[in-house]
């Protein structure tokens, strides 16, 4: 990656860097937020779409900063390497240098004897934690392709064996949560108590520590999901309230990420009702705020991908645990996954489950580094997680058929149901027990029992069925149509205004 001399740095870029330096030094968070959320991305698109930002040494000269280890230079290097990851292909040196810079940044926060005075926008703090986990994920994926690396790269990996270790990344995120006492703060919020210094501690009462600690919880949730430890992932967020007015709502990207990974963790431990609740809520939120993200092209692609992933997982979860979905969510599923859902419901095509799972799951990581690049088989950690999922699909295979028969009756003898299913009575009893068991697990936590579509009990040789009728909510449908109409009107008006009018005749 080439660098530029100070003379080659465009004047608007130099002015941007000088003002950003000034506002960070003066702790003028409103101006820092504006420059970060708007200015940085606009300049990146205009001047650095396919090349890196000025090298840190050049920027140090531009802003006349004497200390290369100052907080401004650490923050600039974080932006510099993040841009390389986003727009270019990072070298192995870039990966090591970026990790070293993150260690400097987190040591600045964690190693201080008293709270640091710097203030940063919540969005920037979230992006730091999110990018930290992403770069760890990227490094592990790079390292797993051992056969494609040169001898020089293999030697560099051996020399820098402590860089991007899973234990180091986990340790940093855990230290950030402990430093801020964020779990104590969340417990207090849960109980409706105010956040005082006695609860949050000397460090946690400061916004930069509180928000970094909170975002680290979401980072841990994501990391544990990537490593396949779903119970540990959910334990990290047991005090987090998934509400629009919660701390995570301050940064929409954090809210979407937290809901996606929490929903996926519930999905993998078979609490499908919890997955459905979380995904319905966040998909509705994303639908309402779609215009906001479309105006930020750098976010729109990632948000759209998360939307499609959640719809794929929601289609599976609702097959295993049928609940009434919001009309707007139903419409999205039909638009994106309609054909696959039909094949699930009518043809019982098991390969569709694999397709939907791969469409919705994250890119899993191996918690260990092995000489064998794929210690879990030809498809690596992803293949291992697919095997776990396919075992659940096999167990669920007869349940949709069983449910469809039970919904036709208020009571039916086991012998009669056995004939319909072409099974003996003992096998039917086992299926009924499995159905009951799966239904109880799928219900999850704090989910209203009446939302499940059917219930039954067995009295000797007779099955008694209680079919729960769910009243359809038509309001959601009309709201959705009104919003679509408004959107169509905007498009029509926009195209009409942009169309050139009739030219005057001479």
């Amino acid at each position: 990656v080439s660098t530029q001399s100070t003379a080659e740095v465009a004047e608007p870029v130099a002015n941007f860097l000088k003002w950003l330096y000034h506002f960070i030094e003066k702790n003028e968070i409103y101006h820092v937020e504006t420059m970060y959320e708007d200015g940085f991305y606009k300049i990146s698109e205009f001047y650095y779409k396919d090349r890196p930002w000025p090298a840190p040494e050049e920027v140090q000269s531009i802003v006349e900063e004497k200390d290369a280890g100052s907080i401004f230079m650490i923050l600039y290097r974080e932006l510099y390497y993040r841009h390389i990851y986003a727009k270019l292909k990072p070298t192995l040196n870039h990966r090591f240098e970026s990790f070293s810079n993150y260690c400097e940044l987190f040591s600045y926060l964690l190693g201080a004897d008293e709270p640091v005075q710097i203030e940063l926008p919540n969005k920037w703090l979230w992006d730091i934690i999110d990018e930290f986990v992403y770069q760890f994920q990227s490094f592990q994926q790079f390292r797993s392709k051992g056969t494609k690396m040169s001898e020089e790269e293999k030697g560099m990996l051996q020399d820098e064996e402590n860089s991007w270790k899973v234990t180091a990344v986990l340790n940093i995120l855990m230290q950030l949560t402990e430093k801020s006492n964020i779990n104590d703060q969340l417990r207090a919020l849960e109980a409706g108590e105010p956040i005082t210094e006695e609860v949050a501690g000397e460090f946690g009462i400061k916004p930069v520590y509180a928000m970094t600690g909170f975002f680290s919880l979401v980072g841990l949730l994501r990391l544990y999901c990537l490593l396949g430890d779903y119970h540990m992932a959910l334990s990290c967020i047991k005090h987090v309230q998934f509400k629009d007015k919660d701390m995570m709502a301050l940064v929409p990207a954090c809210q979407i990420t937290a809901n996606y990974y929490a929903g996926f963790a519930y999905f993998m431990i078979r609490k499908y009702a919890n997955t459905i609740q979380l995904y319905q809520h966040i998909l509705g939120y994303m639908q309402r705020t779609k215009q906001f993200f479309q105006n930020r092209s750098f976010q729109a692609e990632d948000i759209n991908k998360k939307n499609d992933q959640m719809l794929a997982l929601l289609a599976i979860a609702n097959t295993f645990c049928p609940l009434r979905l919001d009309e707007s969510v139903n419409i999205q599923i039909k638009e994106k996954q309609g054909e696959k859902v039909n094949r699930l419901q009518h043809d019982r095509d098991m390969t569709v489950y694999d397709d939907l799972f791969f469409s919705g799951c994250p890119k899993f990581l191996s918690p260990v580094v092995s000489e064998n690049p794929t210690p879990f088989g030809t498809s690596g950690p992803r293949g291992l997680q697919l095997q776990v999922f396919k075992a659940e699909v096999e167990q669920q295979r007869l349940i949709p058929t069983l449910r469809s028969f039970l919904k036709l009756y208020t009571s039916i003898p086991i012998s009669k149901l056995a004939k319909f299913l072409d099974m003996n009575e003992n096998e039917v009893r086992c299926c009924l027990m499995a159905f009951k068991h799966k239904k109880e697990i799928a219900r999850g936590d704090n989910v209203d029992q009446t939302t499940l579509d059917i219930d039954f009990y067995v009295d000797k040789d007779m099955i008694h069925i209680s079919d729960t009728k769910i009243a359809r909510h038509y309001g959601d449908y009309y709201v959705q149509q009104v919003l679509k109409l408004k959107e169509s009107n905007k498009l029509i008006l926009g195209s009409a205004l942009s169309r050139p009018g009739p030219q005057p005749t001479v």
Side-chain angles (χ1 to χ4, degrees):
V1 178
S2 61
T3 57
Q4 309 150 68
S5 68
T6 309
E8 291 174 335
V9 176
E11 187 178 349
V13 178
N15 290 336
F16 170 83
L17 292 167
K18 288 174 184 176
W19 279 111
L20 182 63
Y21 175 75
H22 170 78
F23 291 137
I24 288 176
E25 287 291 306
K26 298 295 182 183
N27 259 345
E28 296 186 23
I29 190 168
Y30 173 78
H31 295 295
V32 173
E33 184 173 19
T34 303
M35 296 192 77
Y36 174 74
E37 292 197 17
D38 195 32
F40 175 73
Y41 291 101
K42 283 185 176 176
I43 288 176
S44 294
E45 282 296 308
F46 191 79
Y47 291 99
Y48 302 109
K49 199 166 187 176
D50 53 3
R51 61 192 181 116
W53 272 69
E57 298 78 15
E58 301 297 333
V59 172
Q60 189 179 345
S61 172
I62 290 170
V63 300
E64 299 177 1
E65 170 58 66
K66 295 177 181 177
D67 183 10
S70 68
I71 186 58
F72 171 80
M73 290 309 303
I74 293 172
L75 289 170
Y76 176 76
R77 285 195 292 270
E78 195 274 328
L79 292 175
Y80 172 79
Y81 291 119
R82 194 199 309 173
H83 178 75
I84 288 174
Y85 270 83
K87 299 292 185 183
L88 307 165
K89 187 177 180 181
T91 65
L92 203 48
N93 272 329
H94 286 140
R95 296 178 190 274
F96 293 144
E97 289 165 6
S98 182
F99 178 73
S100 176
N101 189 65
Y102 275 120
C103 289
E104 273 191 74
L105 175 58
F106 295 132
S107 295
Y108 172 78
L109 293 172
L110 296 169
D113 295 327
E114 55 185 34
V116 297
Q117 297 305 309
I118 190 170
E119 291 184 39
L120 288 173
N122 292 330
K123 178 69 171 65
W124 197 343
L125 293 173
W126 160 249
D127 286 341
I128 287 171
I129 299 297
D130 187 53
E131 184 70 14
F132 180 57
V133 176
Y134 165 74
Q135 289 190 20
F136 164 74
Q137 183 182 0
S138 175
F139 181 82
Q140 293 298 318
Q141 288 167 347
F142 171 81
R143 191 164 192 166
S144 68
K145 300 172 182 175
T147 55
K148 297 181 181 179
M149 282 191 283
S150 66
E151 290 302 317
E152 183 185 358
E153 287 175 328
K154 289 178 182 177
M156 290 172 71
L157 283 173
Q158 288 178 351
D159 294 339
E160 296 282 350
E161 59 180 8
N162 291 323
S163 284
W164 292 115
K165 285 181 73 172
V166 63
T167 49
V169 175
L170 286 170
N171 188 43
I172 287 170
L173 294 174
M174 286 176 180
Q175 284 187 57
L176 289 168
T177 63
E178 289 167 6
K179 192 80 171 179
S180 62
N181 285 337
I182 190 62
N183 280 312
D184 292 339
Q185 294 191 51
L186 291 171
R187 273 192 288 267
L189 287 172
E190 212 173 355
E193 299 170 2
I195 302 299
T196 61
E197 189 167 341
E198 187 177 355
V199 174
E202 180 188 8
F203 288 86
I205 200 68
K206 300 292 183 183
V208 69
Y209 283 96
M211 295 311 298
T212 304
F214 181 81
F215 295 144
S216 295
L217 285 179
V218 180
L220 285 167
L221 163 70
R222 177 182 174 184
L223 190 50
Y224 280 122
C225 280
L226 295 175
L227 296 171
D229 192 344
Y230 305 110
H231 289 281
M232 195 66 188
L234 291 170
S235 73
C236 295
I237 55 161
K238 61 184 175 184
H239 300 299
V240 174
Q241 301 294 306
F242 286 85
K243 297 176 182 176
D244 285 338
K245 294 182 180 179
D246 195 53
M247 290 173 79
M248 72 172 69
L250 297 170
V251 181
C254 171
Q255 190 173 10
I256 292 165
T257 300
N259 276 269
Y260 168 71
Y261 283 102
F264 184 75
Y266 279 124
F267 180 89
M268 291 303 286
I269 63 171
R270 300 163 184 162
K271 292 188 176 182
Y272 303 114
N274 289 101
T275 298
I276 292 168
Q277 279 191 329
L278 283 174
Y279 284 0
Q280 281 212 103
H281 168 78
I282 197 63
L283 286 166
Y285 167 79
M286 291 164 74
Q287 188 75 8
R288 295 192 301 273
T289 56
K290 185 168 63 174
Q291 199 62 40
F292 170 81
F293 292 114
Q294 283 179 343
N295 293 338
R296 289 164 163 76
S297 58
F298 59 90
Q299 289 181 338
E301 187 178 341
D302 189 49
I303 298 302
N304 289 335
K305 182 182 176 183
K306 282 284 181 287
N307 187 86
D308 292 346
Q309 286 179 300
M310 285 189 276
L311 288 172
L313 294 171
L314 188 56
I316 301 173
N318 204 51
T319 303
F320 290 162
C321 178
L323 299 179
R324 180 182 56 81
L325 299 179
D326 292 339
E327 191 65 36
S328 61
V329 174
N330 251 329
I331 290 170
Q332 287 188 68
I333 291 175
K334 286 175 183 175
E335 287 176 355
K336 297 283 186 180
Q337 306 291 352
E339 182 190 344
K340 290 180 180 178
V341 170
N342 284 335
R343 285 165 64 191
L344 284 182
Q345 293 174 346
H346 301 297
D347 303 333
R348 310 289 184 218
D349 189 343
M350 295 297 141
T351 59
V352 177
Y353 284 109
D354 295 6
D355 294 342
L356 288 172
F357 181 76
F358 276 142
S359 298
C361 72
K363 294 179 180 177
F364 299 105
L365 301 175
S366 167
V368 294
V369 178
S370 170
E371 292 298 321
N372 178 3
T374 54
F376 298 117
T378 54
S379 53
R382 200 181 189 200
L384 182 67
Q385 297 299 322
L386 178 63
Q387 288 174 28
V388 174
F389 171 69
K390 286 177 85 168
E392 169 67 4
V393 171
E394 186 59 32
Q395 292 170 17
Q396 293 267 3
R397 187 169 54 85
L398 285 174
I399 288 177
T401 307
L402 187 61
R403 180 190 287 113
S404 64
F405 278 118
L406 292 178
K407 290 188 78 170
L408 297 174
Y409 296 88
T410 54
S411 61
I412 181 174
I414 290 179
S415 57
K416 187 175 180 180
L417 183 58
K419 288 179 183 177
F420 289 150
L421 296 172
D422 196 20
M423 300 166 71
N424 64 48
E425 291 186 26
N426 283 336
E427 287 175 332
V428 171
R429 285 181 186 274
C430 289
C431 281
L432 290 169
M433 287 296 292
F435 185 15
K436 200 80 170 173
H437 173 66
K438 293 291 183 188
K439 203 157 71 71
E440 288 302 314
I441 295 175
R443 181 177 286 123
D445 309 318
N446 305 317
V447 178
D448 183 7
Q449 187 172 346
T450 60
T451 57
L452 297 168
D453 66 335
I454 195 168
D455 200 6
F456 65 92
Y457 66 92
V458 179
D459 182 14
K460 296 180 181 177
D461 293 327
M462 186 66 74
I463 308 166
H464 299 274
I465 302 106
S466 171
D467 193 4
T468 307
K469 299 289 184 184
I470 308 294
R472 186 169 178 178
H473 288 205
Y474 293 99
D476 293 340
Y477 177 78
Y478 283 111
V479 167
Q480 181 68 19
Q481 299 310 308
V482 168
L483 290 173
K484 278 193 169 183
L485 182 61
K486 284 186 176 179
E487 199 169 317
S488 299
N489 282 338
K490 281 183 183 178
L491 289 170
I492 292 166
L493 286 171
S495 61
L497 291 171
S498 61
R499 189 180 302 142
Q503 298 297 319
T505 55
V506 178

